[in-house]
Amino acid sequence: MPCWVTPFPIKYLGLPLSTKKIPKAHLQPLVDKVAAKLPLWQGPLMPRSSRLVLIKSVLASLPIYALMAEKLPPWVIEEINSIYRRFFWAGGDTDIRGKCMVNWTLVCSPKEFGGLGVLDFKLAGFALRVIWLWMQRTAEDLAWSELKLASESEIQAFFDVSVVVMVGKGTRTLFWMDRWIDGKSISEIAPAVNEAGPVDNGVESESAESRKENSRKPTKWTH
């Protein structure tokens, strides 16, 4: 079969893929796709409650696929939020100065906190990408579960403090970093020991830096 060799960046499974920072031109189609879904000629005729339903049920779902796969640059999220703001407050792609009743951050807050429950894309992307770490630890049959995932430091930290490990066979338990001792990790219970590293006959066998790196890989440990 004929095949083509093309340089990065490329599009793979509908998403831009690159070995370096993804150019703006390759992310702009996502913003344009959201804007194209707006019924601009109907927007001014719709009550604000109907615009809210359209944003939450249709428009907010468009970036989900991209948010789950990669961390979108701040300018992409701001562009999408700007489209939603203009549509919600003014009904179309028009100037909204003097029409915004509250800050958009409040609009994106849950209803129990006084907001309207519009999806916050920064937090949504954060939550969606944490799922990959969860699947890696719980779905052993996945072909990529043994590979090291490249995740942002804040996502890894959020996962570490949110998950409590119940040790079974121990083959996928991270001895130093997992919270397997009454909901706490060794690094929390004995930080001095954690910083010193494993000791064998009084000799430090592994540095704290290398142990922190290696602890992300599943290690065998039996109880």
Side-chain angles (χ1 to χ4, degrees):
M1 295 178 62
C3 60
W4 293 266
V5 178
T6 58
F8 287 105
I10 61 174
K11 180 173 285 189
Y12 180 70
L13 297 179
L15 294 172
L17 183 64
S18 177
T19 56
K20 300 179 181 179
K21 183 179 179 180
I22 299 176
K24 184 175 181 178
H26 289 257
L27 293 170
Q28 186 63 41
L30 176 61
V31 178
D32 296 339
K33 182 180 179 181
V34 173
K37 283 289 185 179
L38 292 177
L40 296 180
W41 67 274
Q42 292 178 324
L45 304 177
M46 298 171 62
R48 193 164 290 159
S49 58
S50 297
R51 297 177 207 159
L52 178 63
V53 172
L54 182 61
I55 290 174
K56 295 174 66 174
S57 61
V58 179
L59 301 180
S61 64
L62 297 177
I64 293 297
Y65 180 53
L67 286 170
M68 190 172 187
E70 57 190 80
K71 181 181 180 180
L72 295 179
W75 72 266
V76 175
I77 295 177
E78 178 55 34
E79 284 284 338
I80 294 176
N81 282 334
S82 178
I83 293 172
Y84 292 170
R85 284 198 301 267
R86 292 195 298 268
F87 179 70
F88 179 69
W89 294 119
D93 191 13
T94 58
D95 188 6
I96 58 174
R97 284 179 294 183
K99 299 179 181 179
C100 299
M101 296 183 178
V102 295
N103 187 281
W104 190 251
T105 302
L106 180 59
V107 175
C108 293
S109 301
K111 291 183 178 180
E112 53 266 32
F113 295 117
L116 295 177
V118 175
L119 193 64
D120 185 313
F121 290 112
K122 182 178 180 180
L123 296 180
F126 191 93
L128 288 168
R129 291 191 297 279
V130 168
I131 295 176
W132 293 112
L133 298 177
W134 174 257
M135 292 175 63
Q136 184 185 41
R137 299 298 299 276
T138 58
E140 300 182 19
D141 57 328
L142 295 176
W144 53 267
S145 64
E146 295 292 337
L147 300 177
K148 182 180 179 181
L149 295 181
S151 60
E152 302 103 281
S153 57
E154 60 268 24
I155 289 182
Q156 184 67 61
F158 176 76
F159 179 81
D160 290 342
V161 301
S162 302
V163 175
V164 175
V165 176
M166 296 183 65
V167 179
K169 295 181 180 179
T171 57
R172 300 182 67 84
T173 301
L174 305 182
F175 182 83
W176 289 97
M177 304 302 294
D178 278 345
R179 302 167 71 214
W180 57 273
I181 307 176
D182 294 330
K184 295 184 178 181
S185 66
I186 293 180
S187 60
E188 294 173 321
I189 297 174
V193 174
N194 180 65
E195 289 298 323
V199 177
D200 184 13
N201 296 326
V203 180
E204 183 174 291
S205 60
E206 185 181 20
S207 68
E209 291 77 10
S210 62
R211 186 183 67 258
K212 185 175 182 180
E213 176 66 22
N214 292 333
S215 66
R216 298 301 179 196
K217 305 174 183 178
T219 56
K220 292 187 177 181
W221 178 80
T222 56
H223 64 295

